[in-house]
PDB file of all heavy atoms in Angstrom:
ATOM      1  N   TYR A 172      -3.005  11.843   7.980  1.00 93.00           N
ATOM      2  CA  TYR A 172      -2.228  13.035   8.330  1.00 93.00           C
ATOM      3  C   TYR A 172      -0.954  12.660   9.099  1.00 93.00           C
ATOM      4  O   TYR A 172       0.139  13.186   8.828  1.00 93.00           O
ATOM      5  CB  TYR A 172      -3.092  13.977   9.157  1.00 93.00           C
ATOM      6  CG  TYR A 172      -2.391  15.224   9.624  1.00 93.00           C
ATOM      7  CD1 TYR A 172      -2.034  16.227   8.718  1.00 93.00           C
ATOM      8  CD2 TYR A 172      -2.087  15.404  10.967  1.00 93.00           C
ATOM      9  CE1 TYR A 172      -1.388  17.381   9.140  1.00 93.00           C
ATOM     10  CE2 TYR A 172      -1.449  16.555  11.414  1.00 93.00           C
ATOM     11  CZ  TYR A 172      -1.099  17.536  10.494  1.00 93.00           C
ATOM     12  OH  TYR A 172      -0.458  18.675  10.924  1.00 93.00           O
ATOM     13  N   CYS A 173      -1.079  11.742  10.040  1.00 94.00           N
ATOM     14  CA  CYS A 173       0.094  11.309  10.811  1.00 94.00           C
ATOM     15  C   CYS A 173       1.142  10.658   9.910  1.00 94.00           C
ATOM     16  O   CYS A 173       2.350  10.879  10.082  1.00 94.00           O
ATOM     17  CB  CYS A 173      -0.329  10.331  11.907  1.00 94.00           C
ATOM     18  SG  CYS A 173      -1.289  11.085  13.238  1.00 94.00           S
ATOM     19  N   LEU A 174       0.686   9.888   8.936  1.00 95.00           N
ATOM     20  CA  LEU A 174       1.622   9.251   8.010  1.00 95.00           C
ATOM     21  C   LEU A 174       2.282  10.289   7.104  1.00 95.00           C
ATOM     22  O   LEU A 174       3.458  10.139   6.737  1.00 95.00           O
ATOM     23  CB  LEU A 174       0.908   8.188   7.183  1.00 95.00           C
ATOM     24  CG  LEU A 174       0.388   6.989   7.988  1.00 95.00           C
ATOM     25  CD1 LEU A 174      -0.338   6.006   7.080  1.00 95.00           C
ATOM     26  CD2 LEU A 174       1.520   6.293   8.738  1.00 95.00           C
ATOM     27  N   LEU A 175       1.548  11.326   6.747  1.00 92.00           N
ATOM     28  CA  LEU A 175       2.149  12.409   5.976  1.00 92.00           C
ATOM     29  C   LEU A 175       3.249  13.113   6.773  1.00 92.00           C
ATOM     30  O   LEU A 175       4.310  13.443   6.237  1.00 92.00           O
ATOM     31  CB  LEU A 175       1.081  13.426   5.564  1.00 92.00           C
ATOM     32  CG  LEU A 175       0.093  13.004   4.483  1.00 92.00           C
ATOM     33  CD1 LEU A 175      -0.944  14.100   4.267  1.00 92.00           C
ATOM     34  CD2 LEU A 175       0.800  12.686   3.181  1.00 92.00           C
ATOM     35  N   LEU A 176       2.983  13.348   8.050  1.00 91.00           N
ATOM     36  CA  LEU A 176       3.999  13.969   8.904  1.00 91.00           C
ATOM     37  C   LEU A 176       5.264  13.120   8.943  1.00 91.00           C
ATOM     38  O   LEU A 176       6.382  13.638   8.822  1.00 91.00           O
ATOM     39  CB  LEU A 176       3.453  14.156  10.319  1.00 91.00           C
ATOM     40  CG  LEU A 176       2.334  15.178  10.517  1.00 91.00           C
ATOM     41  CD1 LEU A 176       1.887  15.183  11.980  1.00 91.00           C
ATOM     42  CD2 LEU A 176       2.783  16.566  10.099  1.00 91.00           C
ATOM     43  N   LEU A 177       5.081  11.811   9.126  1.00 94.00           N
ATOM     44  CA  LEU A 177       6.228  10.903   9.164  1.00 94.00           C
ATOM     45  C   LEU A 177       7.009  10.969   7.856  1.00 94.00           C
ATOM     46  O   LEU A 177       8.242  11.101   7.855  1.00 94.00           O
ATOM     47  CB  LEU A 177       5.738   9.472   9.417  1.00 94.00           C
ATOM     48  CG  LEU A 177       6.796   8.366   9.263  1.00 94.00           C
ATOM     49  CD1 LEU A 177       7.912   8.524  10.298  1.00 94.00           C
ATOM     50  CD2 LEU A 177       6.146   6.990   9.379  1.00 94.00           C
ATOM     51  N   GLU A 178       6.303  10.896   6.748  1.00 91.00           N
ATOM     52  CA  GLU A 178       6.982  10.868   5.452  1.00 91.00           C
ATOM     53  C   GLU A 178       7.713  12.171   5.154  1.00 91.00           C
ATOM     54  O   GLU A 178       8.841  12.163   4.655  1.00 91.00           O
ATOM     55  CB  GLU A 178       5.973  10.575   4.346  1.00 91.00           C
ATOM     56  CG  GLU A 178       6.613  10.450   2.971  1.00 91.00           C
ATOM     57  CD  GLU A 178       5.634  10.030   1.906  1.00 91.00           C
ATOM     58  OE1 GLU A 178       4.410  10.021   2.183  1.00 91.00           O
ATOM     59  OE2 GLU A 178       6.078   9.710   0.791  1.00 91.00           O
ATOM     60  N   GLU A 179       7.085  13.287   5.455  1.00 86.00           N
ATOM     61  CA  GLU A 179       7.719  14.584   5.204  1.00 86.00           C
ATOM     62  C   GLU A 179       9.023  14.716   5.985  1.00 86.00           C
ATOM     63  O   GLU A 179      10.041  15.192   5.464  1.00 86.00           O
ATOM     64  CB  GLU A 179       6.762  15.717   5.597  1.00 86.00           C
ATOM     65  CG  GLU A 179       5.558  15.857   4.700  1.00 86.00           C
ATOM     66  CD  GLU A 179       5.861  16.603   3.407  1.00 86.00           C
ATOM     67  OE1 GLU A 179       6.990  17.115   3.269  1.00 86.00           O
ATOM     68  OE2 GLU A 179       4.973  16.672   2.555  1.00 86.00           O
ATOM     69  N   GLU A 180       8.996  14.287   7.233  1.00 88.00           N
ATOM     70  CA  GLU A 180      10.208  14.367   8.050  1.00 88.00           C
ATOM     71  C   GLU A 180      11.267  13.382   7.560  1.00 88.00           C
ATOM     72  O   GLU A 180      12.462  13.702   7.516  1.00 88.00           O
ATOM     73  CB  GLU A 180       9.868  14.081   9.521  1.00 88.00           C
ATOM     74  CG  GLU A 180       8.926  15.093  10.161  1.00 88.00           C
ATOM     75  CD  GLU A 180       9.625  16.367  10.595  1.00 88.00           C
ATOM     76  OE1 GLU A 180      10.746  16.624  10.128  1.00 88.00           O
ATOM     77  OE2 GLU A 180       9.038  17.110  11.408  1.00 88.00           O
ATOM     78  N   MET A 181      10.828  12.178   7.175  1.00 88.00           N
ATOM     79  CA  MET A 181      11.774  11.175   6.688  1.00 88.00           C
ATOM     80  C   MET A 181      12.484  11.645   5.433  1.00 88.00           C
ATOM     81  O   MET A 181      13.668  11.344   5.223  1.00 88.00           O
ATOM     82  CB  MET A 181      11.043   9.859   6.425  1.00 88.00           C
ATOM     83  CG  MET A 181      10.702   9.074   7.676  1.00 88.00           C
ATOM     84  SD  MET A 181       9.813   7.542   7.305  1.00 88.00           S
ATOM     85  CE  MET A 181      10.994   6.682   6.261  1.00 88.00           C
ATOM     86  N   GLU A 182      11.778  12.375   4.562  1.00 83.00           N
ATOM     87  CA  GLU A 182      12.378  12.846   3.315  1.00 83.00           C
ATOM     88  C   GLU A 182      13.520  13.823   3.588  1.00 83.00           C
ATOM     89  O   GLU A 182      14.402  14.001   2.744  1.00 83.00           O
ATOM     90  CB  GLU A 182      11.320  13.536   2.444  1.00 83.00           C
ATOM     91  CG  GLU A 182      10.232  12.611   1.930  1.00 83.00           C
ATOM     92  CD  GLU A 182      10.709  11.714   0.804  1.00 83.00           C
ATOM     93  OE1 GLU A 182      11.854  11.888   0.348  1.00 83.00           O
ATOM     94  OE2 GLU A 182       9.943  10.830   0.384  1.00 83.00           O
ATOM     95  N   ASN A 183      13.506  14.437   4.742  1.00 75.00           N
ATOM     96  CA  ASN A 183      14.509  15.464   5.049  1.00 75.00           C
ATOM     97  C   ASN A 183      15.560  15.009   6.056  1.00 75.00           C
ATOM     98  O   ASN A 183      16.690  15.493   6.016  1.00 75.00           O
ATOM     99  CB  ASN A 183      13.810  16.722   5.584  1.00 75.00           C
ATOM    100  CG  ASN A 183      13.072  17.470   4.502  1.00 75.00           C
ATOM    101  OD1 ASN A 183      13.613  18.348   3.864  1.00 75.00           O
ATOM    102  ND2 ASN A 183      11.814  17.103   4.272  1.00 75.00           N
ATOM    103  N   GLY A 184      15.191  14.101   6.954  1.00 80.00           N
ATOM    104  CA  GLY A 184      16.176  13.716   7.959  1.00 80.00           C
ATOM    105  C   GLY A 184      15.935  12.353   8.578  1.00 80.00           C
ATOM    106  O   GLY A 184      16.520  12.034   9.617  1.00 80.00           O
ATOM    107  N   GLY A 185      15.056  11.548   7.974  1.00 88.00           N
ATOM    108  CA  GLY A 185      14.835  10.204   8.479  1.00 88.00           C
ATOM    109  C   GLY A 185      13.866  10.150   9.639  1.00 88.00           C
ATOM    110  O   GLY A 185      13.307  11.165  10.072  1.00 88.00           O
ATOM    111  N   VAL A 186      13.676   8.953  10.170  1.00 93.00           N
ATOM    112  CA  VAL A 186      12.748   8.729  11.276  1.00 93.00           C
ATOM    113  C   VAL A 186      13.158   9.533  12.499  1.00 93.00           C
ATOM    114  O   VAL A 186      12.308  10.059  13.223  1.00 93.00           O
ATOM    115  CB  VAL A 186      12.667   7.224  11.621  1.00 93.00           C
ATOM    116  CG1 VAL A 186      11.893   7.011  12.923  1.00 93.00           C
ATOM    117  CG2 VAL A 186      12.010   6.453  10.487  1.00 93.00           C
ATOM    118  N   LEU A 187      14.451   9.648  12.724  1.00 91.00           N
ATOM    119  CA  LEU A 187      14.912  10.365  13.919  1.00 91.00           C
ATOM    120  C   LEU A 187      14.412  11.803  13.901  1.00 91.00           C
ATOM    121  O   LEU A 187      13.980  12.322  14.939  1.00 91.00           O
ATOM    122  CB  LEU A 187      16.438  10.333  14.002  1.00 91.00           C
ATOM    123  CG  LEU A 187      17.041  11.071  15.209  1.00 91.00           C
ATOM    124  CD1 LEU A 187      16.539  10.472  16.515  1.00 91.00           C
ATOM    125  CD2 LEU A 187      18.560  11.050  15.150  1.00 91.00           C
ATOM    126  N   GLN A 188      14.468  12.464  12.759  1.00 87.00           N
ATOM    127  CA  GLN A 188      13.993  13.847  12.698  1.00 87.00           C
ATOM    128  C   GLN A 188      12.509  13.922  13.044  1.00 87.00           C
ATOM    129  O   GLN A 188      12.062  14.853  13.722  1.00 87.00           O
ATOM    130  CB  GLN A 188      14.232  14.429  11.307  1.00 87.00           C
ATOM    131  CG  GLN A 188      13.799  15.880  11.192  1.00 87.00           C
ATOM    132  CD  GLN A 188      14.284  16.541   9.928  1.00 87.00           C
ATOM    133  OE1 GLN A 188      15.486  16.665   9.708  1.00 87.00           O
ATOM    134  NE2 GLN A 188      13.347  16.961   9.091  1.00 87.00           N
ATOM    135  N   PHE A 189      11.740  12.954  12.575  1.00 91.00           N
ATOM    136  CA  PHE A 189      10.317  12.905  12.910  1.00 91.00           C
ATOM    137  C   PHE A 189      10.123  12.807  14.415  1.00 91.00           C
ATOM    138  O   PHE A 189       9.310  13.528  15.006  1.00 91.00           O
ATOM    139  CB  PHE A 189       9.678  11.700  12.220  1.00 91.00           C
ATOM    140  CG  PHE A 189       8.292  11.370  12.711  1.00 91.00           C
ATOM    141  CD1 PHE A 189       7.210  12.181  12.399  1.00 91.00           C
ATOM    142  CD2 PHE A 189       8.071  10.245  13.482  1.00 91.00           C
ATOM    143  CE1 PHE A 189       5.924  11.877  12.841  1.00 91.00           C
ATOM    144  CE2 PHE A 189       6.799   9.922  13.935  1.00 91.00           C
ATOM    145  CZ  PHE A 189       5.721  10.745  13.618  1.00 91.00           C
ATOM    146  N   LEU A 190      10.879  11.944  15.063  1.00 92.00           N
ATOM    147  CA  LEU A 190      10.703  11.716  16.494  1.00 92.00           C
ATOM    148  C   LEU A 190      11.175  12.910  17.324  1.00 92.00           C
ATOM    149  O   LEU A 190      10.569  13.249  18.347  1.00 92.00           O
ATOM    150  CB  LEU A 190      11.464  10.456  16.916  1.00 92.00           C
ATOM    151  CG  LEU A 190      10.924   9.133  16.372  1.00 92.00           C
ATOM    152  CD1 LEU A 190      11.876   7.992  16.715  1.00 92.00           C
ATOM    153  CD2 LEU A 190       9.531   8.840  16.925  1.00 92.00           C
ATOM    154  N   VAL A 191      12.249  13.556  16.891  1.00 88.00           N
ATOM    155  CA  VAL A 191      12.818  14.658  17.659  1.00 88.00           C
ATOM    156  C   VAL A 191      11.965  15.918  17.542  1.00 88.00           C
ATOM    157  O   VAL A 191      11.789  16.661  18.507  1.00 88.00           O
ATOM    158  CB  VAL A 191      14.265  14.926  17.198  1.00 88.00           C
ATOM    159  CG1 VAL A 191      14.783  16.246  17.748  1.00 88.00           C
ATOM    160  CG2 VAL A 191      15.177  13.784  17.646  1.00 88.00           C
ATOM    161  N   ASN A 192      11.433  16.167  16.348  1.00 85.00           N
ATOM    162  CA  ASN A 192      10.644  17.376  16.135  1.00 85.00           C
ATOM    163  C   ASN A 192       9.276  17.282  16.810  1.00 85.00           C
ATOM    164  O   ASN A 192       8.881  16.231  17.320  1.00 85.00           O
ATOM    165  CB  ASN A 192      10.470  17.630  14.639  1.00 85.00           C
ATOM    166  CG  ASN A 192      11.692  18.278  14.018  1.00 85.00           C
ATOM    167  OD1 ASN A 192      12.573  18.774  14.710  1.00 85.00           O
ATOM    168  ND2 ASN A 192      11.748  18.263  12.694  1.00 85.00           N
ATOM    169  N   SER A 193       8.555  18.379  16.764  1.00 82.00           N
ATOM    170  CA  SER A 193       7.227  18.400  17.382  1.00 82.00           C
ATOM    171  C   SER A 193       6.277  17.407  16.721  1.00 82.00           C
ATOM    172  O   SER A 193       5.326  16.948  17.352  1.00 82.00           O
ATOM    173  CB  SER A 193       6.645  19.820  17.278  1.00 82.00           C
ATOM    174  OG  SER A 193       6.580  20.238  15.928  1.00 82.00           O
ATOM    175  N   SER A 194       6.569  17.032  15.458  1.00 85.00           N
ATOM    176  CA  SER A 194       5.747  16.027  14.776  1.00 85.00           C
ATOM    177  C   SER A 194       5.781  14.692  15.502  1.00 85.00           C
ATOM    178  O   SER A 194       4.871  13.869  15.349  1.00 85.00           O
ATOM    179  CB  SER A 194       6.241  15.842  13.338  1.00 85.00           C
ATOM    180  OG  SER A 194       7.620  15.487  13.333  1.00 85.00           O
TER     181      SER A 194
END
Side-chain angles (χ1 to χ4, degrees):
Y172 178 70
C173 291
L174 295 179
L175 288 176
L176 292 178
L177 171 64
E178 183 174 10
E179 291 280 354
E180 297 280 17
M181 284 179 60
E182 294 285 354
N183 288 269
V186 170
L187 179 60
Q188 182 168 298
F189 168 72
L190 292 172
V191 167
N192 280 346
S193 58
S194 57

